[in-house]
Amino acid sequence: MPSSQEKSARLVIIEGKDNRDKGKVIPLKKNYIIIGRGQADIVLNDLQVSRAHVSLEFNERTGDLVFTDLGSTNGVLVNGELRKSGILKDRDRFKVGNTVFDCQLAFEQQTEIGTGAYLRSGSLDAKSISESLPGPSQFAVEGAIKKSQPSSQAISETKAKASQSRLQEKTKITQSNPEKRVGFYHKIPKSVRFGAISLVLILVVMSQLPSGPKRNISNRGLENYVTEVGKLINEKKLDQAKTLALESAKAFPANSVPLVLLGNVYFEQRKIDLAVETYQKSLSLKPLQLVTYTRLIRLNFILNKRDEAKKLINEYLPLLESGEPNKKLYLQTGELFLDYPELEKDKESGLQRARKYQTQYNPEDPIGYKLESNLISLTEKSPESIKRSEDLLIKGLELDPKDEWIYDRLFYLKLSQNNSTAAINNLEIWIKMQPKSSKPLLLYSYLKFNEKNYLGAVPYLQKIMNLHSQNQNHPHYAEALNLMGQISIQQNQLAEAENFFRQSCQAGYQPSCVHPIITGVRPEPNNRETTNAPNLESREPNSSSNKQDKPPKKK
């Protein structure tokens, strides 16, 4: 009678959401089980586990334990690697949600018939039986062998005779009747063969079904996600970027980087509330991405949550200063204080920070000089302070001759001293250094308009519209249209003015949307001087009407 040697498997919980489950042994008595949170064979009360999370299929004959992810939300980790399916090996660590299983695969203790058959055949010596039968059966077999204590020579002779006998019998059957040659395949019962063939066919069909991109989930894989999502964002393929970012978050649920990627996509989609929520969640994961703080602070200013922004800056600064020096992060932090000076607790601490930027944090960048100049301009109004502020900006230009913020600031400092000639010279240098910038052209247009040289402003406005003809959502494009509408009013060309204001409004410039021509109250031709003429002072970087803390326009 043939031996019946079957293999077994069990799962041992070594880590779980509930410590009481630790050490629990789960024998896999059924060939097919499901682990999940709902109607499953092994139920895990864990929100990280899907209702039907993963299936396990154990083959008692081969000892293979096959797992298949059933489309779970958080996936399955095998030895720390996210995998969709595969064969579990002995001592593999198998994680579902917060529960970690230790897979234990071994031969089960043989039946009396099976053990006796092996001993009678003489096909296995004591060493091979001992190795193949772990647990109590091992000692039972060893005891039986030790009790009989045959000599090594007797064992060798028995093995040789048995081997020769089997070989002769096989040769006799084969030579006498070729039709009776029986291979391994024909020894398998027909029902088992049919099931195996069906399973192979199903697997072949499933392999042909379309699936998402296959990725090697590793540190390199995460870098690929970062690169690809960033590229899609730059190409404005935001739906694809969102899909990939969500995929990365599923692939790396415990890593903060995918959530930062997703937050970036939401921001580009102008979903500010979702961006804030996603960035906030990323702060609870590792590794902590300090750049997330700078983005959250900006977004809270956009949402006019200034107290929340100040709370975040107080959390963020100690972390920044206690970590490894990061010039890029220091630069972004300096720009935060430049854009939102109210983040400073007081003038003295702000000046100290500005000088650290000049000598320690970013000495090769003009940010430190810009910060100090800005603080002086906001807190001091004397001619001496204006001169000090100007000198600091000139030092900044020595580090970066193309810095547009400095040119913009110098322009207004010259205007505040009623030095229009120096202001125009500054604009001309700016245009030369940044020929593709529309900001100096717009300021030039305002100067001409306020001098009542309306036709002199038109060429600069036309240059702006040419520069941004491919991107009509650019704010300077919309503002240039508004100024063209103002000039048309001064020329008593009201139909043209209305057309310019409507285009400007559609491009997102709100003052055009509420202009009397659009709202239906048309100014009288002889009262043109009292219309909403542009004012350069309202465009000054530190004026309340020019702060960029309004929500971005939704597309």
Side-chain angles (χ1 to χ4, degrees):
M1 195 170 182
S3 65
S4 62
Q5 188 183 45
E6 292 182 345
K7 300 183 180 180
S8 65
R10 66 182 185 179
L11 301 176
V12 179
I13 297 177
I14 59 174
E15 184 179 330
K17 185 178 180 183
D18 190 341
N19 289 331
R20 292 175 297 180
D21 290 337
K22 192 172 181 180
K24 186 175 181 181
V25 178
I26 304 171
L28 302 182
K29 295 180 180 179
K30 293 173 63 176
N31 289 343
Y32 182 86
I33 66 169
I34 291 176
I35 300 175
R37 185 164 49 87
Q39 295 180 349
D41 300 288
I42 299 176
V43 178
L44 301 177
N45 187 18
D46 183 352
L47 292 178
Q48 298 295 317
V49 177
S50 299
R51 293 183 63 81
H53 199 106
V54 61
S55 68
L56 294 174
E57 187 170 3
F58 180 63
N59 188 322
E60 293 179 344
R61 185 177 57 81
T62 64
D64 289 339
L65 180 58
V66 179
F67 74 93
T68 305
D69 189 329
L70 300 175
S72 65
T73 301
N74 295 313
V76 176
L77 290 173
V78 179
N79 299 326
E81 181 181 354
L82 192 68
R83 292 171 60 185
K84 290 291 184 184
S85 62
I87 298 177
L88 293 169
K89 298 178 182 177
D90 191 37
R91 298 302 179 183
D92 274 351
R93 296 296 171 90
F94 181 69
K95 186 173 183 181
V96 179
N98 292 300
T99 303
V100 180
F101 298 96
D102 181 42
C103 299
Q104 298 183 4
L105 312 179
F107 286 108
E108 211 170 64
Q109 181 177 347
Q110 285 189 324
T111 63
E112 184 179 349
I113 295 174
T115 306
Y118 271 113
L119 290 174
R120 284 193 299 272
S121 69
S123 59
L124 294 175
D125 59 14
K127 184 174 184 295
S128 64
I129 293 174
S130 175
E131 290 176 346
S132 64
L133 297 175
S137 60
Q138 171 181 336
F139 302 106
V141 174
E142 284 178 349
I145 294 172
K146 287 178 181 177
K147 190 173 181 180
S148 59
Q149 294 181 345
S151 65
S152 59
Q153 183 177 356
I155 292 174
S156 299
E157 289 176 358
T158 303
K159 287 173 63 178
K161 288 178 181 179
S163 177
Q164 185 178 1
S165 175
R166 286 197 304 274
L167 180 61
Q168 289 174 353
E169 185 67 24
K170 184 177 179 180
T171 304
K172 190 183 298 181
I173 293 172
T174 304
Q175 290 176 348
S176 63
N177 190 356
E179 293 181 359
K180 290 186 179 180
R181 296 176 186 173
V182 180
F184 174 75
Y185 174 78
H186 295 284
K187 291 179 181 179
I188 301 173
K190 286 185 179 181
S191 59
V192 176
R193 276 185 273 162
F194 178 77
I197 293 171
S198 301
L199 179 60
V200 170
L201 288 173
I202 291 170
L203 291 175
V204 170
V205 171
M206 289 179 66
S207 68
Q208 303 302 315
L209 295 175
S211 61
K214 296 181 180 179
R215 301 183 180 277
N216 178 27
I217 307 302
S218 62
N219 287 335
R220 178 62 182 167
L222 183 55
E223 291 174 6
N224 288 340
Y225 277 120
V226 173
T227 302
E228 291 175 34
V229 173
K231 183 180 178 182
L232 289 170
I233 289 175
N234 289 336
E235 294 173 354
K236 302 301 179 185
K237 298 177 180 178
L238 299 181
D239 288 339
Q240 295 179 41
K242 179 183 173 182
T243 300
L244 206 58
L246 287 169
E247 182 184 319
S248 70
K250 184 176 180 180
F252 298 90
N255 196 297
S256 62
V257 173
L259 287 184
V260 175
L261 294 178
L262 186 58
N264 294 346
V265 175
Y266 284 141
F267 177 75
E268 292 296 326
Q269 291 180 326
R270 303 300 187 258
K271 298 176 180 178
I272 304 303
D273 289 332
L274 277 176
V276 169
E277 181 183 348
T278 308
Y279 284 141
Q280 197 72 49
K281 285 181 181 177
S282 76
L283 293 179
S284 64
L285 301 176
K286 295 182 179 180
L288 181 63
Q289 305 293 317
L290 289 182
V291 69
T292 310
Y293 276 101
T294 65
R295 294 174 186 174
L296 272 173
I297 291 166
R298 285 191 178 277
L299 289 175
N300 276 288
F301 271 108
I302 288 175
L303 296 173
N304 204 28
K305 297 180 179 179
R306 299 176 183 275
D307 290 339
E308 184 64 28
K310 291 176 183 178
K311 179 182 175 183
L312 285 167
I313 198 74
N314 291 333
E315 291 177 14
Y316 165 63
L317 288 178
L319 294 171
L320 175 66
E321 292 166 4
S322 64
E324 291 293 326
N326 186 324
K327 289 189 174 183
K328 186 175 180 180
L329 205 52
Y330 274 124
L331 184 59
Q332 292 182 9
T333 307
E335 289 171 347
L336 266 180
F337 283 104
L338 194 64
D339 293 340
Y340 306 106
E342 64 189 274
L343 288 172
E344 292 288 6
K345 290 182 178 179
D346 53 66
K347 178 184 175 182
E348 190 57 38
S349 63
L351 289 174
Q352 288 178 6
R353 179 176 291 104
R355 286 159 190 164
K356 278 187 178 181
Y357 273 98
Q358 296 167 22
T359 59
Q360 182 181 343
Y361 296 159
N362 293 81
E364 71 285 352
D365 192 276
I367 184 68
Y369 297 104
K370 290 155 68 173
L371 282 169
E372 186 174 357
S373 172
N374 199 45
L375 275 171
I376 291 171
S377 297
L378 289 171
T379 57
E380 303 176 30
K381 301 299 180 184
S382 66
E384 293 79 10
S385 64
I386 293 175
K387 182 68 170 64
R388 281 169 54 212
S389 181
E390 187 177 329
D391 290 342
L392 287 164
L393 293 175
I394 291 170
K395 284 184 180 180
L397 274 182
E398 291 173 1
L399 292 173
D400 185 0
K402 294 186 177 182
D403 192 304
E404 295 200 68
W405 189 94
I406 295 179
Y407 283 115
D408 193 43
R409 203 60 221 129
L410 282 171
F411 171 77
Y412 285 105
L413 284 175
K414 298 299 184 185
L415 279 186
S416 68
Q417 301 172 70
N418 296 318
N419 191 345
S420 59
T421 302
I424 291 172
N425 289 337
N426 178 74
L427 288 178
E428 289 174 348
I429 297 171
W430 186 355
I431 291 170
K432 182 179 179 182
M433 298 303 295
Q434 294 281 12
K436 292 186 178 180
S437 175
S438 55
K439 183 69 176 290
L441 298 173
L442 191 60
L443 294 176
Y444 229 136
S445 304
Y446 277 115
L447 276 178
K448 296 292 184 184
F449 186 94
N450 289 340
E451 292 171 356
K452 300 187 190 236
N453 183 1
Y454 306 123
L455 295 180
V458 171
Y460 296 100
L461 296 172
Q462 288 175 336
K463 284 182 181 179
I464 293 170
M465 289 186 281
N466 288 335
L467 276 172
H468 301 301
S469 60
Q470 301 302 315
N471 180 20
Q472 296 185 5
N473 288 321
H474 194 286
H476 291 166
Y477 181 88
E479 196 168 352
L481 286 169
N482 176 275
L483 196 50
M484 286 292 288
Q486 299 284 359
I487 290 171
S488 297
I489 289 177
Q490 300 304 321
Q491 301 298 315
N492 200 25
Q493 298 170 341
L494 300 184
E496 288 82 352
E498 182 179 357
N499 183 45
F500 281 125
F501 286 132
R502 289 196 183 281
Q503 291 183 61
S504 175
C505 178
Q506 289 171 2
Y509 193 67
Q510 291 302 311
S512 295
C513 302
V514 296
H515 194 278
I517 284 185
I518 299 297
T519 58
V521 182
R522 299 199 175 202
E524 295 296 329
N526 59 358
N527 195 29
R528 291 192 302 269
E529 300 298 329
T530 63
T531 58
N532 296 337
N535 183 358
L536 267 176
E537 293 302 317
S538 67
R539 292 193 47 80
E540 191 170 355
N542 293 318
S543 67
S544 60
S545 62
N546 193 47
K547 283 199 175 182
Q548 301 299 311
D549 57 356
K550 297 179 182 178
K553 178 173 68 70
K554 291 185 179 180
K555 293 184 181 179

